[in-house]
Each structure stands twice: as structure tokens, then as C-alpha cells.
């Protein structure tokens, strides 16, 4: 696993803003990233059969708790990982958008299964062809449904991504609020 | 068993029942004229020998090339007599209106809304003639054979939500 530690030390994408951070800021950012990646409170937006696989991966045999992502919060206001599990149709799209907008920053999104990622084989009039047409997505997990190992791999990818992002102790930037509606 | 029901129906409505037969699955089928479907259903429901007190399924078929283009299919069952029949009603494309049977079976409500949503067959006298599956802004009827294969339509903004269901929110209401 030596290659993983190399990636740990060198961020995959070094933005200008990251370069401008002081050494202390970097340490704080890494610490916050470490804390955040191991305390993912998830909101399962379960609409279809992938939910069975989600239950499998969340319960004892595969156990998402090992990755610190065990506690589903059934309010988006308490969650920071939105798991979109299943087919999203056009009628449901505004609900998903509202759930995403209700979540507090920082927040991440996982498209669980091929329907959430791209519409899957529902290539028809009713289905949104991938939730990235509505909300930004961090990790796509393919599969119909994905095997639990794939989900665990996706969670690990997301943790890597969170670790590599820049975090601030106090973010003075005003968050972008959704349009009133 | 339901052959007797078909016979009784033919005797009672010789003009409205244009044909009868047995379907491939073994159900007894009667072809009924569109104008008479209301009184035929009322008779099937209320006749003491038939008592079709349940309409388990109502759906439609689009035979695009033939005339009449659509066909409504009423599946009926009697929980008292334990027999079932099927009615087939031709509906022309130029005037796709049929009398509602929601006054006879309350459960027909959503099936008729489904037929309106997917095939564009209207039901005169229906108490709530909205779409069932698709949203109000959707244009067309997706299960018609001439609806394009993918036929995607734009995403919809959220409908206004009653303030009873949520608080003022970050934008202050």
C-alpha cells in the first residue's frame, strides 16, 4: 500500500488556493479532512431496488460502519453524504434537488447504481438520465445493483477525495443559497 | 360459469353486445359498444344473478393501424358468485371519449386516470380527471404507438409547497 501513502502526501489536484495556504492552514485542512472523511453522516435517498443492496452493505456482513459511514440520518439537515440509491424519474427530480439544497455544507453526493449514475437501461421518457443533470456528483458507483465491494470501494474513493480537498476551520465565504422557490 | 353471464348480457342488450368469444387465456369476452358501456356495467353490477362487484383491472390497447384505433378492456370479477368476464370496447381516435364507470366501481378511478395518462382516452363524468403517473406539464401520452421511442421532455421546476409543510428556510420564506 505504499502507493496510497504517496497519494496521501501529494494532493491529486493542487489548486492555486491550496498553494496559497500557509503551512498551518494546510495542517488544519488535513486534520479537518481526516475528521470529515471518517464521520460521514449519510442521507439515503432510496427509490428503487438498489436499496436492498444498500441494506446489505450497511448491515453487519459488509458493515459501512468500518468506514465511519454507518449512521443514516433521516433528515437532510443532519447529513453530509447524500446517497442517491435507485432510479430518479422526472417527477421526482425536484424532490431530490430540494433534499440536496437542504443539506448543510460541506456535503458530498454518491450516485449509487447505474440508474442514478446514467439512467441505466431506463432510456425512456420518464427517467432522468443521470442525477448529475440535477445536482453535482462526487462518486459514481456503477452496477445493477452494485456489489457491496463496489460500494465500499466507492466510499474509499470518496474518503480519498475528501482528504484531498481543502477544508477551513472557519469558512468566511458566504454559501451559495438556492433560489427561493 | 361466466358463459352464462355472457348469454344473459346478450339477451338483455342485444344491440349493445356486438360479439362474444373466449380469449386465448380462457376468459369469456364480450365486445360492447362504446355508447352502452355505462348501462352494461350498471347491469353487471346490480343484476342479482351476476353481481360483478369488483373491477380488478381496466386498461387499454393501441392498435395503431386498425379502426377503431384504441380498445378499452374491462376485467370484472364477482366475489359473491366467483365468476369473471372481460369486456372489450372499441374507441375511435377521432373522438376518444367513454363514459366513466367510477360511479359503479369506485376502484375504477385510478385505472381510468391511467388510461387518460398513457393513451389519451377521456372519461366523461370522471370526478378527478388528472394524469396518474406523469406530471401535469407532460405533453402527449407515452404509451401511444406514435409517441417517439425516447421522447424526453424537459425537467420541471419544483411546485410551490404549502408553508404548513416546511419552515421559512434560509432565504427567509
Amino acid at each position: 500500500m505504499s502507493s496510497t501513502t504517496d497519494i496521501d502526501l501529494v494532493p491529486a489536484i493542487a489548486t492555486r488556493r491550496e498553494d496559497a495556504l500557509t503551512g498551518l492552514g494546510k495542517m488544519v485542512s488535513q486534520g479537518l479532512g481526516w475528521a470529515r472523511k471518517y464521520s460521514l453522516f449519510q442521507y439515503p435517498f432510496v427509490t428503487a431496488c438498489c436499496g436492498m443492496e444498500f441494506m446489505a452493505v450497511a448491515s453487519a456482513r459488509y458493515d459501512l460502519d468500518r468506514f465511519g459511514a454507518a449512521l443514516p440520518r433521516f433528515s437532510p439537515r443532519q447529513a453530509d453524504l447524500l446517497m442517491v440509491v435507485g432510479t430518479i424519474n422526472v417527477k421526482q427530480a425536484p424532490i431530490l434537488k430540494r433534499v440536496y439544497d437542504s443539506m448543510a455544507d460541506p456535503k458530498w453526493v454518491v450516485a449509487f447504481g447505474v440508474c442514478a449514475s446514467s439512467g441505466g437501461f431506463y432510456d425512456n421518457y420518464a427517467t432522468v438520465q443521470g442525477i448529475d443533470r440535477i445536482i453535482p456528483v462526487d462518486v459514481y458507483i456503477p452496477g445493477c445493483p452494485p456489489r457491496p465491494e463496489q460500494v465500499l470501494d466507492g466510499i474509499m474513493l470518496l474518503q480519498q477525495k475528501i482528504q484531498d480537498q481543502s477544508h477551513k476551520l472557519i469558512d468566511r465565504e458566504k454559501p451559495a443559497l438556492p433560489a427561493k422557490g | 360459469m361466466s358463459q352464462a353471464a355472457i348469454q344473459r348480457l346478450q339477451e338483455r342488450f342485444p344491440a349493445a353486445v356486438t360479439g362474444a368469444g373466449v380469449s386465448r387465456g380462457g376468459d369469456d369476452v364480450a365486445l360492447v359498444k362504446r355508447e352502452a358501456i355505462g348501462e352494461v356495467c350498471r347491469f353487471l353490477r346490480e343484476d342479482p344473478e351476476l353481481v360483478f362487484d369488483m373491477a380488478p383491472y381496466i386498461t387499454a390497447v393501441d392498435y395503431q393501424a386498425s379502426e377503431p384505433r384504441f380498445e378499452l378492456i374491462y376485467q370484472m370479477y364477482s366475489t359473491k358468485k366467483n365468476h369473471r368476464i372481460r369486456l372489450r370496447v372499441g374507441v375511435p381516435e377521432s373522438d376518444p371519449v367513454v363514459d366513466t364507470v367510477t360511479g359503479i366501481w369506485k376502484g375504477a378511478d385510478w385505472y381510468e386516470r391511467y388510461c387518460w395518462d398513457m393513451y389519451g382516452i377521456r372519461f366523461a363524468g370522471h370526478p378527478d380527471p388528472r394524469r396518474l403517473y406523469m406530471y401535469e406539464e407532460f405533453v402527449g401520452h407515452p404509451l401511444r404507438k406514435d409517441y417517439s421511442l425516447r421522447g424526453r421532455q424537459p425537467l420541471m421546476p419544483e411546485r410551490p409547497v404549502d408553508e404548513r409543510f416546511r419552515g421559512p428556510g434560509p432565504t427567509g420564506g
Side-chain angles (χ1 to χ4, degrees), chain A residues 77 98 177-181, chain B residues 160-164 166-173:
Chain A
R77 296 176 203 282
R98 168 159 293 279
L177 287 181
K180 189 183 165 187
Chain B
V161 180
D162 195 327
E163 287 298 329
R164 277 180 303 160
R166 59 179 168 92
T171 50

Side-chain angles (χ1 to χ4, degrees), chain A residues 46 48-61 63 85 112:
Chain A
V46 179
C49 39
C50 273
M52 297 294 132
E53 212 62 35
F54 175 78
M55 290 168 214
V57 75
S59 52
R61 183 177 271 272
D63 202 4
V85 185
F112 187 115

Side-chain angles (χ1 to χ4, degrees), chain B residues 45-120:
Chain B
R45 175 81 171 82
E46 289 173 356
D47 187 74
E49 283 184 33
L50 302 178
V51 213
F52 285 100
D53 50 4
M54 191 168 153
Y57 207 79
I58 298 169
T59 186
V61 185
D62 180 359
Y63 297 105
Q64 192 179 9
S66 57
E67 184 59 41
R69 176 175 168 181
F70 300 106
E71 191 167 71
L72 276 172
I73 292 153
Y74 294 76
Q75 196 78 37
M76 282 159 201
Y77 177 65
S78 169
T79 56
K80 306 261 182 353
K81 306 274 180 181
N82 191 22
H83 56 183
R84 57 186 80 223
I85 62 165
R86 183 185 301 165
L87 302 184
R88 288 168 57 177
V89 181
V91 182
E93 188 185 4
S94 54
D95 180 31
V97 185
V98 184
D99 281 340
T100 179
V101 294
T102 48
I104 303 163
W105 298 283
K106 211 168 186 335
D109 185 346
W110 282 16
Y111 293 124
E112 292 188 349
R113 279 176 63 187
Y114 170 82
C115 292
W116 159 244
D117 189 359
M118 292 291 155
Y119 295 94

